[in-house]
């Protein structure tokens, strides 16, 4: 039996949509009071309203994680509303496609600014309350793309997701004496609003590459994040957990042929 997380305080960046929304919902169902962020106020308001009755409170702050000032504002709001910060889920991310030959300095700056720098800024901004909590948790949403696999059009994205893990390993050492753990979830292909817009045929093709024969749900990622947030995961730090239904395992398409 796991200790209750009832009354803990969490920030989920990019919690207004997709995987972040799933993480926010899972934490709130466990009784955690969650502050979600995103740049679009309407999405934040809609998600906060949808999740109003699941358990812990869900409130929003419009913020851009590539701005250190915005990240400080988010942390201040969580401290004011929920009495501190126990859990930071650095989840906000973008994945514009661009082939290597076409990538501009602006493309690189945008992807690294949100995915990598945004991760660092929200963790930096929350260091004081995370330390004060005595059981701080940093949970990063990385990806299999970059740290483990590649996909044409995503060289910059993959690099930003791998950069998160480079950050994680040293951050985990520096923050260990403060009893803050730093871990990452590496999702495979997860069903989000964006993926649904690609159509059923596309989703079926993606699912066919997964040994379990299905795409992941945002709850699959939320549950992994929830585990890292527990007291029982206190001795796990600097680690990354692939959550992909076995997608990275086949060494060739033939490995899936006779299933
Ligand atoms: P999504 O549905 O597009 O949601 C992204 C969230 O991040 C939204 O809430 C978005 O809100 C927010 N966001 C984007 N840029 C932001 C910024 N500069 N500042 C603050 N918030 C920002 O994406 P998703 O698929 O859930 O992806 C979430 C994370 O999972 C990303 O880090 C992604 O790399 C990772 N991931 C996703 C998959 C997948 O299959 N979906 C697989 C592996 C990894 P606004 O647009 O309103 O700002």
């Amino acid at each position: 039996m796991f200790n209750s997380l009832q009354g803990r305080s969490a920030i989920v960046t990019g919690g207004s949509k997709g995987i972040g929304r799933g993480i926010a919902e899972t934490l709130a169902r466990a009784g955690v009071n969650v502050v979600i962020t995103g740049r679009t106020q309407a999405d934040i308001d809609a998600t906060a309203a949808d999740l109003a009755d699941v358990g812990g409170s869900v409130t929003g702050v419009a913020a851009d994680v590539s701005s250190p000032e915005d990240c400080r504002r988010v942390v201040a709001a969580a401290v004011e509303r929920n009495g501190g910060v126990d859990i930071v889920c650095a989840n906000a991310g973008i994945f514009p496609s661009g082939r290597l030959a076409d990538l501009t300095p602006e493309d690189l700056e945008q992807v690294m600014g949100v995915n990598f720098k945004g991760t660092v800024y929200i963790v930096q901004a929350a260091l004081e309350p995370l330390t004060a909590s005595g059981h701080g948790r940093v949970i990063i949403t990385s990806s299999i793309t970059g740290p483990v696999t590649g996909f044409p059009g995503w060289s910059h994205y993959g690099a930003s997701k791998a950069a998160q893990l480079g950050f994680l390993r040293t951050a985990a050492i520096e923050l260990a004496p403060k009893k803050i753990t730093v871990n990452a979830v590496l999702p495979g292909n997860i069903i989000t609003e964006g993926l649904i817009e690609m159509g059923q045929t596309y989703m079926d093709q993606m699912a066919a590459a997964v040994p379990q024969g299905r795409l992941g749900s945002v709850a699959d990622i939320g549950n992994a994040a929830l585990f890292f947030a527990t007291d029982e995961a206190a001795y796990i730090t600097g680690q990354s957990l692939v959550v992909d239904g076995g997608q990275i395992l086949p060494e060739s398409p033939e490995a899936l042929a006779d299933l």
Side-chain angles (χ1 to χ4, degrees), residues 16 36 40-51 60:
S16 63
I36 58 172
T40 314
Q41 189 70 51
D43 290 340
I44 294 170
D45 292 344
T47 295
D50 286 351
L51 302 183

Side-chain angles (χ1 to χ4, degrees), residues 17-40:
K17 278 196 293 194
I19 288 174
R21 177 182 162 130
I23 295 172
E25 177 169 354
T26 306
L27 291 174
R29 285 193 187 281
V32 176
N33 298 317
V34 184
V35 168
I36 58 172
T37 77
R39 292 160 303 175
T40 314

Side-chain angles (χ1 to χ4, degrees), residues 14-20 37-40 43 63-66 91-95 114 141-143 157 161 187-190 192-193:
S16 63
K17 278 196 293 194
I19 288 174
T37 77
R39 292 160 303 175
T40 314
D43 290 340
D64 184 337
V65 293
S66 66
N91 166 84
I94 54 172
F95 26 89
V114 176
T141 309
S142 175
S143 177
Y157 171 74
K161 296 279 113 179
N189 288 308
I190 306 302
T192 58
E193 300 90 327

Side-chain angles (χ1 to χ4, degrees), residues 55-146:
S57 67
V58 178
T59 62
V61 178
D64 184 337
V65 293
S66 66
S67 155
E69 175 56 37
D70 275 18
C71 289
R72 285 193 286 271
R73 237 175 1 89
V74 172
V75 171
V79 170
E80 189 192 322
R81 294 174 194 175
N82 299 326
V85 178
D86 304 290
I87 304 158
V88 170
C89 297
N91 166 84
I94 54 172
F95 26 89
S97 184
R99 292 288 176 125
L100 175 57
D102 305 320
L103 288 180
T104 64
E106 291 74 27
D107 293 332
L108 294 182
E109 181 48 44
Q110 189 194 22
V111 167
M112 294 304 284
V114 176
N115 297 359
F116 169 59
K117 293 183 188 175
T119 296
V120 178
Y121 292 151
I122 194 66
V123 175
Q124 273 185 325
L127 282 180
E128 206 177 293
L130 282 173
T131 303
S133 86
H135 47 231
R137 298 283 185 271
V138 174
I139 303 157
I140 295 170
T141 309
S142 175
S143 177
I144 58 170
T145 309

